[in-house]
Structure formats: C-alpha cells, structure tokens
Amino acid sequence: MDPVSTIVWIVVFVVVTVTVTGFSRRIGWSAPFVLVVVGAAASFLPSVPHIELEPELVLYGLLPPLLFAAAIRTSIVDVRARRDGILLLSVGLVAFTVVTVGLTAWLVVPAISLAAAFAFGAVVAPTDAVAITAIAGRLGLPRRVVTVLEGESLLNDATALVALNAAIAAILSTVSPLSVTGDFVVAVVGGVGVGLAVGYVLAMIRRQLHAPVLDTSLSLVTPYLAFILGELVHGSGVLAVVIAGLFLGYRAPVIQSAEARIAESINWRTIQFLLENAVFLFIGLNLESILEGVRLTGTGFWATVWISLVILAALLASRFVWMAITTSIYRYGPRRLRERGWSWRTGVAVSFAGMRGVVTLAAVFLLPPETPQRELLQLLAFVVVVGTLLQGLALPWIIRRLRLPPPDRSQERVEAQMLLAEAQTAGLARLDAEVTDADEDRVIGRLRTNARFLANALDNPAPDDAEPLPAAYNRLRRAMIEAERAAVLAARVEGRYQEPAIRSALAFIDVEESALKAGSPKHHDG
C-alpha cells in the first residue's frame, strides 16, 4: 500500500472508530462489542485492505499507553487497601485459569501438546482493563468492587505473560517448575523495581518543568520508557508501566502545576479513547484471515463450533469456581479475612466481569509457528474475546438483580465539600500571613469572600426543599460565564479588540468554568 493510501485508510479508521463508539454510547450498547462486529463485517469486504495484527506492535506500541492511562487515574490508596483481593485475582485466578483452560484445550483440541494447551490457557487468562473500566464506570458498582476489578485487570497481564513465556519455552524445548518460578520472581522484582525507578526519576525531572507542553511531552514517553527498560532487565514491562503510572498519578499534585495536570489529563483521555476503541476494531478486522487459516487446517465447521463452546464454558466456569472458593474463604475463614471479605452477591458480580480484549488477541499471535493447531487457537482466542464481551452485555441486568449498594454519591459530595472547606481555611490562614500594607483592600476582600462561601454554606445549609447553596452558586455563575463568553465572542466579531486580548479573556473564562465543573455534583457523579 502506498503512503497516500495508508494515510487515507488511517483517517477512515479513526472516523469509523469515533462514529461507531459515539453511536454505541448514545443507544446504550457496548462499544467494544459493536466495534468488533463492525470490524469483522468489514474484513470480508474486498475493498478493505488486509490488516495483520502484529503482536510486537500491540505489546510495545498499544499496550503500554493503555495501561499507563488507566494506572495514573487509579488510586494507589484504594489498591493498597484491597491488595489481598487483587492478588487473589491477578495471580491466583490467572494460574487457576491457565491450568483449567489448558487441560480442557488439551482434551478437546485435536493433536495439541500439553505445553501448547497451557500456552493457550495463559493467552485467555488476563481480563481487559479497557472493557472492565468502561463497564464498571457505567454500572455504579460499589467502590471496592471497582477497585478490585481495575486492580486485577492492571496486574494480571504480567502474570499471564510470564506463564505464556514459560509455556512457549516448553513448546520449543524443556523447562522445569523451578525455572518457571525463578522467571516469575525475576519478572515481578524487575518490573516493580524498574517501575519505581522510572517513576522516581521522572518525578524529579517533572518537578523542575514549568511548561505544561514539556511536562506532557515527557508524560507521553513514560510508558514506553518503563516498558522497554523492564523488558531489558528481563522483568515484566507490563508491571513496570503499571507501577510507574500508579506512582506518578499519586505524586501528580506535588510534582505538577495545575495547568500541567489539566493538559496531561486531556491528552491521555484522548489517547486512551482512540487506542482502546481502535484495538477492538482491529480485532474484528482480523476475523477473515483467522477463518481462512482454520479452513486450511481441515478441522471442520461443527467440530470448531463444539470446541469453541467447550473452551468458552471452561473459561467462564473457572472464574466462577475461583470466586466461589475465595468468597468462601473470606466469609468463613479467619477473623481478619472475614472483616475484609465480600458478600456472595459481590462475588457473583465479579465473576461476571471477566471480559477479555487486546492482551488476549496480541498474545495468541505470539505463539511460535511450531505450535500445534496455531490457527485454530487464534480463532478460539477471538471467540473468547467476543463471547466474554457478550457476557458483559448482561452485566447491567445482573447488577440490578443482585441489588448491590451503589456508591453513596451524596456522602461523597459532602466529604468533597468538607475537604474543600478545610483547604480554604488553610488558604485564608496563608492569606493573612501574606498580606502587606501595599495590597489593595478590594483584592483582599474578594479573596476572603470567595474562600468563606463554601464554609458558610456548610455551616448554614439551605432548607431541605431548597437548592443547595454551592449548586445555586454553580448554576448562576455558569449562566454568567455563558453571557461573558458570548460578550467576548461578540466583541471579536465586531473587531473592537485585538486577537491576543480575545484569546486571553476566553482562556480565563475557560479556566473558571473548568473549576466550576470540577466542583459540581454532576461532575462527581460521572
């Protein structure tokens, strides 16, 4: 394909991704599933070029930024508080899935070796961080459930890829349990060490950068730096990216300016949106070539369907069985575990939230050409991704039937307002220390009025049937901002001011509007 055609197809690809995703969200469908279906249908059109999913491109090019974008928004405090549940899923469940699905594949897939079967089990073991975050955010799940699911999807990739490397080595040669254990320890220690080192060094550098453009530019290369260095020391590049993201996300308020944080957030949200949805469209576009490979193996249509159903059933059953075991341990184990445990309803919700995605499709293409039934295993991985995304469509109905308690939004708003009031009290104290005789009384009065407004609203709330004072302030101030922006734009049309003055005024209004949105109840409700 010539360069011009490549650029044209990239533009078409982005437009289709954005359009399909926006349409799916508008009607309440699962965007990842719809994108896979659209890509699969397009793969059979003669005018659509064949796009081969290169595993190195996904693992080195797409996976690091996707994981980093999710990690910098994940609370390291919440992950630490639920670390036992996260480890049970990201390590224990992955190992259990590798064995369960591996043995099942060994029994039902013709002419497959045990090493290849375990390699396939490692391929389908990790859940997808993108699909989990998208669905969990819409359902209003309890906070600790969301934390466990997001922590699992961030960390289980490392466990699965270590298991996959061991199985591939067994396909090509002979390995021992001792060497597998050693590789796992090296991967974890190396990944965590590199992630912390990259995070610490970049935090020191970014503290010295005052330009948001420079800070954001360094942020964009961080996941690649962590991944490459992690792989160079034979550690887990995936784990290095996650640890670096968690560390930098936690330290962001200290090492970055407000402008840099806003710029970084917007950029990473855009990158994550494009990459995460584009990957699912890529998955669908590979269906035609995968089916052609299976046809050449001569497995047969009905035999392939039966094998696919058995593998999918084994995968789903392994998650349910593991969750039943862990829930029982939490419910009936030692007192320390009972105090941190979850209910059976929570266990069922977590069992259904096991969608697969980009890592599974990338990992299956890492299987060496010597792998028995390689083409059939690629199709089975595709079936697993689509099947688990279909399962995810039932999650809203399941959550409603389980009647899990949603997050207490009103309590969260009250806590946020109380914290802001404490912060503003500290700000007033600092104002008293900074004021000099040369400062204008009008400036000081404006600062004190704005800082005391929230504290007064908490101490003297509006009547129960009236609109809360902060909400009333936001509503009226937004109306004022809308009029202010309209006046500035009208002045631009009339040509009464130069463009630098227009842009400066619009930027000032945008910053205040962003601050109002960040503190509004609707914003906190997602």
Side-chain angles (χ1 to χ4, degrees), residues 248-281:
L248 291 171
Y250 180 73
R251 297 286 296 169
V254 178
I255 65 176
Q256 292 177 277
S257 65
E259 296 86 355
R261 288 195 300 274
I262 293 173
E264 182 184 40
S265 175
I266 293 174
N267 281 299
W268 276 115
R269 284 172 57 192
T270 304
I271 292 171
Q272 184 179 23
F273 168 80
L274 290 175
L275 290 183
E276 69 186 19
N277 291 289
V279 164
F280 286 105
L281 189 58

Short mmCIF file of all heavy atoms in Angstrom, two decimals, residues 248-281:
data_model
loop_
_atom_site.label_atom_id
_atom_site.label_comp_id
_atom_site.label_asym_id
_atom_site.label_seq_id
_atom_site.Cartn_x
_atom_site.Cartn_y
_atom_site.Cartn_z
N LEU A 248 3.37 7.94 39.63
CA LEU A 248 3.27 9.30 39.11
C LEU A 248 1.88 9.88 39.30
O LEU A 248 1.73 11.09 39.53
CB LEU A 248 3.67 9.32 37.63
CG LEU A 248 5.15 9.05 37.35
CD1 LEU A 248 5.40 8.88 35.86
CD2 LEU A 248 6.01 10.18 37.90
N GLY A 249 0.85 9.05 39.19
CA GLY A 249 -0.50 9.54 39.44
C GLY A 249 -0.68 9.98 40.88
O GLY A 249 -1.35 10.99 41.16
N TYR A 250 -0.08 9.24 41.80
CA TYR A 250 -0.17 9.59 43.22
C TYR A 250 0.61 10.87 43.53
O TYR A 250 0.19 11.70 44.35
CB TYR A 250 0.36 8.43 44.06
CG TYR A 250 0.34 8.68 45.54
CD1 TYR A 250 -0.86 8.66 46.24
CD2 TYR A 250 1.51 8.91 46.24
CE1 TYR A 250 -0.90 8.88 47.61
CE2 TYR A 250 1.50 9.13 47.61
CZ TYR A 250 0.29 9.11 48.29
OH TYR A 250 0.26 9.34 49.64
N ARG A 251 1.75 11.06 42.87
CA ARG A 251 2.61 12.21 43.14
C ARG A 251 2.26 13.44 42.29
O ARG A 251 2.87 14.50 42.48
CB ARG A 251 4.06 11.83 42.86
CG ARG A 251 4.61 10.73 43.75
CD ARG A 251 4.88 11.24 45.14
NE ARG A 251 5.93 12.26 45.14
CZ ARG A 251 6.22 13.02 46.18
NH1 ARG A 251 5.52 12.89 47.29
NH2 ARG A 251 7.19 13.92 46.12
N ALA A 252 1.29 13.32 41.39
CA ALA A 252 0.98 14.41 40.46
C ALA A 252 0.69 15.74 41.15
O ALA A 252 1.18 16.79 40.71
CB ALA A 252 -0.19 14.01 39.56
N PRO A 253 -0.10 15.79 42.24
CA PRO A 253 -0.37 17.10 42.86
C PRO A 253 0.87 17.79 43.41
O PRO A 253 0.85 19.00 43.62
CB PRO A 253 -1.35 16.73 44.00
CG PRO A 253 -1.97 15.45 43.58
CD PRO A 253 -0.88 14.72 42.86
N VAL A 254 1.94 17.05 43.64
CA VAL A 254 3.16 17.62 44.22
C VAL A 254 4.15 18.02 43.13
O VAL A 254 4.84 19.04 43.25
CB VAL A 254 3.82 16.62 45.20
CG1 VAL A 254 5.11 17.19 45.77
CG2 VAL A 254 2.85 16.28 46.32
N ILE A 255 4.23 17.24 42.07
CA ILE A 255 5.29 17.46 41.08
C ILE A 255 4.82 18.25 39.87
O ILE A 255 5.64 18.66 39.06
CB ILE A 255 5.87 16.10 40.60
CG1 ILE A 255 4.80 15.29 39.86
CG2 ILE A 255 6.43 15.31 41.77
CD1 ILE A 255 5.30 14.00 39.28
N GLN A 256 3.51 18.47 39.71
CA GLN A 256 2.99 19.15 38.52
C GLN A 256 2.21 20.40 38.90
O GLN A 256 1.61 20.47 39.98
CB GLN A 256 2.08 18.22 37.72
CG GLN A 256 2.77 17.04 37.06
CD GLN A 256 1.76 16.16 36.35
OE1 GLN A 256 1.12 15.31 36.96
NE2 GLN A 256 1.61 16.39 35.05
N SER A 257 2.20 21.35 37.98
CA SER A 257 1.34 22.51 38.13
C SER A 257 -0.08 22.14 37.74
O SER A 257 -0.33 21.10 37.12
CB SER A 257 1.84 23.65 37.26
OG SER A 257 1.73 23.30 35.88
N ALA A 258 -1.03 23.01 38.11
CA ALA A 258 -2.42 22.74 37.76
C ALA A 258 -2.60 22.68 36.24
O ALA A 258 -3.32 21.82 35.71
CB ALA A 258 -3.32 23.83 38.34
N GLU A 259 -1.91 23.58 35.52
CA GLU A 259 -2.00 23.59 34.06
C GLU A 259 -1.47 22.29 33.47
O GLU A 259 -2.05 21.74 32.53
CB GLU A 259 -1.23 24.78 33.48
CG GLU A 259 -1.79 26.14 33.86
CD GLU A 259 -1.26 26.63 35.20
OE1 GLU A 259 -0.52 25.86 35.86
OE2 GLU A 259 -1.56 27.76 35.57
N ALA A 260 -0.37 21.80 34.03
CA ALA A 260 0.22 20.56 33.52
C ALA A 260 -0.71 19.37 33.78
O ALA A 260 -0.86 18.49 32.93
CB ALA A 260 1.58 20.32 34.15
N ARG A 261 -1.34 19.35 34.94
CA ARG A 261 -2.25 18.25 35.25
C ARG A 261 -3.46 18.26 34.32
O ARG A 261 -3.92 17.21 33.85
CB ARG A 261 -2.70 18.33 36.71
CG ARG A 261 -1.63 17.96 37.70
CD ARG A 261 -2.20 17.69 39.08
NE ARG A 261 -2.90 18.85 39.62
CZ ARG A 261 -2.31 19.83 40.30
NH1 ARG A 261 -1.00 19.78 40.49
NH2 ARG A 261 -3.00 20.84 40.78
N ILE A 262 -4.01 19.45 34.06
CA ILE A 262 -5.16 19.55 33.15
C ILE A 262 -4.76 19.09 31.74
O ILE A 262 -5.48 18.32 31.09
CB ILE A 262 -5.69 20.99 33.12
CG1 ILE A 262 -6.31 21.35 34.47
CG2 ILE A 262 -6.73 21.15 32.01
CD1 ILE A 262 -6.72 22.81 34.59
N ALA A 263 -3.60 19.57 31.27
CA ALA A 263 -3.15 19.19 29.93
C ALA A 263 -2.89 17.70 29.83
O ALA A 263 -3.29 17.04 28.85
CB ALA A 263 -1.88 19.98 29.58
N GLU A 264 -2.23 17.12 30.84
CA GLU A 264 -1.94 15.69 30.82
C GLU A 264 -3.21 14.87 30.83
O GLU A 264 -3.35 13.88 30.10
CB GLU A 264 -1.06 15.32 32.02
CG GLU A 264 -0.68 13.84 32.03
CD GLU A 264 0.11 13.47 33.26
OE1 GLU A 264 -0.23 13.95 34.36
OE2 GLU A 264 1.06 12.68 33.14
N SER A 265 -4.17 15.27 31.66
CA SER A 265 -5.42 14.53 31.74
C SER A 265 -6.16 14.53 30.41
O SER A 265 -6.63 13.48 29.94
CB SER A 265 -6.31 15.15 32.83
OG SER A 265 -7.58 14.55 32.85
N ILE A 266 -6.25 15.67 29.78
CA ILE A 266 -6.96 15.76 28.49
C ILE A 266 -6.25 14.93 27.42
O ILE A 266 -6.90 14.19 26.67
CB ILE A 266 -7.07 17.23 28.06
CG1 ILE A 266 -7.99 18.00 29.01
CG2 ILE A 266 -7.59 17.33 26.62
CD1 ILE A 266 -8.04 19.47 28.75
N ASN A 267 -4.93 15.03 27.37
CA ASN A 267 -4.18 14.28 26.36
C ASN A 267 -4.32 12.78 26.54
O ASN A 267 -4.53 12.03 25.57
CB ASN A 267 -2.72 14.68 26.39
CG ASN A 267 -2.46 16.00 25.67
OD1 ASN A 267 -2.70 16.14 24.48
ND2 ASN A 267 -1.97 16.99 26.41
N TRP A 268 -4.19 12.31 27.77
CA TRP A 268 -4.27 10.87 27.99
C TRP A 268 -5.68 10.33 27.80
O TRP A 268 -5.86 9.20 27.36
CB TRP A 268 -3.74 10.50 29.38
CG TRP A 268 -2.25 10.36 29.40
CD1 TRP A 268 -1.35 11.12 30.06
CD2 TRP A 268 -1.49 9.37 28.70
NE1 TRP A 268 -0.07 10.69 29.81
CE2 TRP A 268 -0.13 9.61 28.98
CE3 TRP A 268 -1.82 8.31 27.85
CZ2 TRP A 268 0.90 8.83 28.45
CZ3 TRP A 268 -0.80 7.54 27.31
CH2 TRP A 268 0.54 7.80 27.61
N ARG A 269 -6.68 11.13 28.13
CA ARG A 269 -8.06 10.70 27.87
C ARG A 269 -8.28 10.54 26.37
O ARG A 269 -8.94 9.58 25.93
CB ARG A 269 -9.05 11.71 28.46
CG ARG A 269 -9.19 11.63 29.96
CD ARG A 269 -10.02 12.78 30.49
NE ARG A 269 -11.34 12.82 29.86
CZ ARG A 269 -12.17 13.85 29.98
NH1 ARG A 269 -11.82 14.92 30.66
NH2 ARG A 269 -13.36 13.81 29.39
N THR A 270 -7.75 11.46 25.58
CA THR A 270 -7.90 11.36 24.12
C THR A 270 -7.15 10.16 23.57
O THR A 270 -7.69 9.39 22.75
CB THR A 270 -7.37 12.65 23.46
OG1 THR A 270 -8.06 13.78 24.00
CG2 THR A 270 -7.58 12.60 21.95
N ILE A 271 -5.91 9.98 24.01
CA ILE A 271 -5.11 8.84 23.54
C ILE A 271 -5.77 7.53 23.92
O ILE A 271 -5.88 6.60 23.10
CB ILE A 271 -3.69 8.92 24.12
CG1 ILE A 271 -2.94 10.11 23.52
CG2 ILE A 271 -2.92 7.63 23.86
CD1 ILE A 271 -1.62 10.40 24.19
N GLN A 272 -6.23 7.43 25.16
CA GLN A 272 -6.86 6.20 25.61
C GLN A 272 -8.13 5.90 24.82
O GLN A 272 -8.37 4.75 24.42
CB GLN A 272 -7.19 6.29 27.10
CG GLN A 272 -7.76 4.99 27.66
CD GLN A 272 -8.05 5.09 29.14
OE1 GLN A 272 -8.24 6.19 29.67
NE2 GLN A 272 -8.09 3.97 29.83
N PHE A 273 -8.93 6.93 24.57
CA PHE A 273 -10.16 6.73 23.81
C PHE A 273 -9.87 6.17 22.42
O PHE A 273 -10.49 5.20 21.97
CB PHE A 273 -10.93 8.05 23.70
CG PHE A 273 -12.06 8.00 22.71
CD1 PHE A 273 -13.27 7.44 23.06
CD2 PHE A 273 -11.91 8.50 21.42
CE1 PHE A 273 -14.32 7.38 22.14
CE2 PHE A 273 -12.94 8.45 20.51
CZ PHE A 273 -14.15 7.89 20.88
N LEU A 274 -8.91 6.79 21.72
CA LEU A 274 -8.60 6.36 20.36
C LEU A 274 -8.01 4.95 20.33
O LEU A 274 -8.41 4.10 19.53
CB LEU A 274 -7.65 7.35 19.69
CG LEU A 274 -8.24 8.73 19.35
CD1 LEU A 274 -7.16 9.64 18.80
CD2 LEU A 274 -9.37 8.58 18.32
N LEU A 275 -7.04 4.70 21.22
CA LEU A 275 -6.36 3.41 21.18
C LEU A 275 -7.27 2.27 21.62
O LEU A 275 -7.32 1.21 20.97
CB LEU A 275 -5.12 3.45 22.07
CG LEU A 275 -3.96 4.31 21.58
CD1 LEU A 275 -2.77 4.19 22.54
CD2 LEU A 275 -3.53 3.92 20.18
N GLU A 276 -7.98 2.47 22.74
CA GLU A 276 -8.77 1.36 23.27
C GLU A 276 -9.88 0.94 22.32
O GLU A 276 -10.18 -0.25 22.18
CB GLU A 276 -9.34 1.72 24.64
CG GLU A 276 -10.40 2.78 24.62
CD GLU A 276 -10.84 3.22 26.00
OE1 GLU A 276 -10.10 2.98 26.96
OE2 GLU A 276 -11.92 3.80 26.12
N ASN A 277 -10.48 1.90 21.64
CA ASN A 277 -11.55 1.55 20.71
C ASN A 277 -11.00 1.08 19.37
O ASN A 277 -11.59 0.20 18.74
CB ASN A 277 -12.47 2.76 20.51
CG ASN A 277 -13.28 3.09 21.75
OD1 ASN A 277 -14.19 2.36 22.13
ND2 ASN A 277 -12.94 4.17 22.40
N ALA A 278 -9.87 1.64 18.95
CA ALA A 278 -9.26 1.20 17.70
C ALA A 278 -8.82 -0.26 17.79
O ALA A 278 -8.90 -1.00 16.81
CB ALA A 278 -8.07 2.08 17.35
N VAL A 279 -8.36 -0.68 18.97
CA VAL A 279 -7.90 -2.06 19.14
C VAL A 279 -9.03 -3.04 18.88
O VAL A 279 -8.84 -4.07 18.21
CB VAL A 279 -7.30 -2.24 20.54
CG1 VAL A 279 -7.17 -3.72 20.88
CG2 VAL A 279 -5.94 -1.58 20.63
N PHE A 280 -10.22 -2.74 19.37
CA PHE A 280 -11.33 -3.67 19.16
C PHE A 280 -11.75 -3.71 17.69
O PHE A 280 -12.16 -4.76 17.19
CB PHE A 280 -12.52 -3.26 20.04
CG PHE A 280 -12.31 -3.58 21.50
CD1 PHE A 280 -12.02 -2.59 22.40
CD2 PHE A 280 -12.38 -4.89 21.96
CE1 PHE A 280 -11.82 -2.87 23.74
CE2 PHE A 280 -12.17 -5.20 23.28
CZ PHE A 280 -11.89 -4.18 24.18
N LEU A 281 -11.63 -2.58 17.00
CA LEU A 281 -11.90 -2.61 15.56
C LEU A 281 -10.84 -3.43 14.84
O LEU A 281 -11.16 -4.19 13.91
CB LEU A 281 -11.91 -1.17 15.02
CG LEU A 281 -12.39 -0.98 13.58
CD1 LEU A 281 -13.80 -1.52 13.39
CD2 LEU A 281 -12.34 0.49 13.20
#
